[in-house]
Amino acid sequence: MIPRIHQQGSRTIGLLHYLYGTGTHEEHSDPHLVASFDNMAPDPGRDPQATKKALAQVLDEPLHLLDADQRPDKHVWHCSVRAAPDDPVLTDEEWGEIARRMVASTGIDPGDGAACRWAAVRHADDHIHIIATLVREDGRRPDHHRSGQRAQAEARLIEADYGLRRVQPGDGTAATRPTSAERHKAERQDRECTAREELREEVRRAVAGATSTQEFLDRLKNAGLLVHTRTLPSGDLQGYKVALPDDRNKDKEPIYYAGSTLAPDLSLPRIQERFATGSTQPETIGNERPELPSRSAPAAARRTTTHAAWAALLVLDRSGDDGMASAQIAATGEVLDALAKTSAFHTRHELREAAWAFERASRSHTRAEFRHAQDLRRAARDLVRSGPALGRGEDGAGTAMALDMLVFLAVATAHWHAQRHHAQQADAARRAAEHLRAAYQQAAGEPLTVLRERGRRIPPSLRRHHATTVRAALPELADTVLAEPGWDALAATLADAERAGHNPHALLSEAATQRELDTADSISEVLLWRLRRAADLPAYDAPPARTHRAQAAHGQPGATRQIPTPSMPRTPRR
């Protein structure tokens, strides 16, 4: 349940005209009173003899206790209370009781017999509006200081008492919610989401990995948005606003939204903070190891993302600098936005949902120091520049490798926020992790099938050799790993690592101790991606054929026939 205290007004009759009207887009139905200060206020909705003017006069009567020059300019208090979409439809009596609890908790009507006059109007199934006059019956002003926070606290109690969806307490950093008028308009136009939400998603995608204000604005225009900028007399850019070309008002003019009205971190100054230059961390992505010639640009970008996500995990686990950690989290949001924009069709929905959920986790009162997160931001830039991914071969396997790491990063983000009592952000990160797990399952299907098939073709003696390695390196996890379906794929990876000159025992030991495995759905799968990343093995194909030929020519043990890549249907692009 979401209570919202609106800006105070000066005309009671003006607000009543809205509450009892049809709404901006005919969204109001059957407006009527469900409660009032004395339960006898006139109801223009159900009583044909009552008028809005009469109700306004009743509510404003305490104003006349004061001389004209002592009356407050803004005397109209307005609070809306909205239930969650999946909550049951409440009765008028239940909404009336909720209204009484809200005015009591906020100080409008504390029950002392001389409170403000108020009325609660219901004009939809899922919410009510409470209007009150901010002068008490005794002529004094009410104590409604911090009424928004007091209303939120009471809403949490109401949710528990009525068995409603439990909303995590907010901290004032959430994006502005679409109005009911915006939602109804989207429904009429058969839009997937409101214009405000679509613009917020497009702006976040334009921010992902951008390195300058001009690049950011160019991306907005290339996405097909209408963009207006404001310039100071000095010539410096002051702000921007965006609109969808087909979102118009009654005069057929585009409806613009300033970045700050889409989300607190999308104002121009906050976006420009991300364009910090230089990194206090070592350059680990892009030049840590030479890229294999066979990797496509999308595959290479996903390998880069995996390395950057691993570095971010270390920061969240080990750093005591909240500004540094907050920057890693915010930049992770950019990576998810970039992945959602460039992902293959079969993973796009889950990645888009993950990015949408994580958006809330990327913003808190902890100020992000973006100079610490340039590696992740460069990874987001690489993803955008590499273009759409087809999701096959090294490309698809690289996506699975990156998603495997990003699941852990989302879980670590949830833990970081939970430790700091950021309830909404922690919940959002958990939801993002679930969508990332689903996207991983979609992306990993083909590469894991190929690796498992290769693992099954390894000679029995060599499989026993690798099983012995697992038991020696992971004595407490070995039985679990060897019983999992992913063991065959891990065996193939151990064989690849050994052929490439690595020590499988050392790689396994390091991979298992890098970070916890308790949250992994499949320990063997997590380990194989960690091994392939650490040893820089191809995420999909076997080592080059010439390596096999050389091994076979010298009679080296472990040389196996390369399994050809199975043909896959083309994945449609959107």
Side-chain angles (χ1 to χ4, degrees), residues 59-113:
L59 294 175
D60 285 347
E61 190 171 326
L63 287 174
H64 301 291
L65 296 173
L66 305 176
D67 293 335
D69 60 349
Q70 294 180 337
R71 297 171 188 171
D73 292 334
K74 303 286 187 180
H75 68 271
V76 182
W77 185 85
H78 178 201
C79 172
S80 59
V81 187
R82 185 179 300 276
D86 52 353
D87 281 339
V89 176
L90 301 175
T91 65
D92 282 352
E93 290 73 20
E94 289 171 323
W95 274 120
E97 180 58 28
I98 289 170
R100 294 183 188 93
R101 292 177 63 166
M102 280 295 171
V103 294
S105 66
T106 55
I108 297 299
D109 188 353
D112 59 1

Side-chain angles (χ1 to χ4, degrees), residues 96-153:
E97 180 58 28
I98 289 170
R100 294 183 188 93
R101 292 177 63 166
M102 280 295 171
V103 294
S105 66
T106 55
I108 297 299
D109 188 353
D112 59 1
C116 299
R117 295 191 174 191
W118 60 272
V121 179
R122 181 182 188 181
H123 56 209
D125 285 342
D126 63 347
H127 70 282
I128 59 171
H129 292 263
I130 306 173
I131 178 174
T133 299
L134 292 174
V135 176
R136 289 163 47 93
E137 297 280 7
D138 56 11
R140 295 186 294 117
R141 299 295 300 274
D143 177 16
H144 65 105
H145 179 61
R146 298 166 67 103
S147 58
Q149 294 183 22
R150 290 152 70 176
Q152 290 288 348

Side-chain angles (χ1 to χ4, degrees), residues 167-208:
V167 177
Q168 298 290 354
D171 61 0
T173 63
T176 303
R177 292 176 177 272
T179 65
S180 58
E182 291 171 348
R183 289 196 302 274
H184 287 295
K185 182 178 180 180
E187 290 172 2
R188 289 197 313 274
Q189 296 178 344
D190 198 27
R191 290 181 180 272
E192 183 181 349
C193 57
T194 65
R196 180 188 299 275
E197 292 168 319
E198 185 174 344
L199 286 169
R200 188 164 81 239
E201 185 175 33
E202 290 293 346
V203 171
R204 291 188 66 85
R205 289 184 178 185
V207 170

Side-chain angles (χ1 to χ4, degrees), residues 444-467:
E446 180 202 347
L448 285 178
T449 297
V450 172
L451 285 171
R452 285 169 185 158
E453 179 62 23
R454 288 183 48 218
R456 294 187 188 106
R457 297 192 180 192
I458 293 176
S461 60
L462 195 55
R463 281 176 61 88
R464 288 194 295 271
H465 165 69
H466 293 313

Side-chain angles (χ1 to χ4, degrees), residues 263-278:
D265 58 341
L266 295 183
S267 67
L268 185 63
R270 294 289 298 276
I271 287 174
Q272 289 173 328
E273 290 176 3
R274 298 173 182 254
F275 305 149
T277 57

Side-chain angles (χ1 to χ4, degrees), residues 181 246 320 348 379 473 489 538 552:
D246 58 348
R348 188 173 302 167

Side-chain angles (χ1 to χ4, degrees), residues 1-32:
M1 178 163 286
I2 304 295
R4 180 184 177 191
I5 309 299
H6 300 263
Q7 188 174 4
Q8 292 173 201
S10 57
R11 295 182 67 247
T12 301
I13 189 65
L15 180 55
L16 289 176
H17 276 306
Y18 168 73
L19 296 181
Y20 279 95
T22 59
T24 308
H25 299 285
E26 308 292 331
E27 69 271 18
H28 297 176
S29 61
D30 186 25
H32 59 279

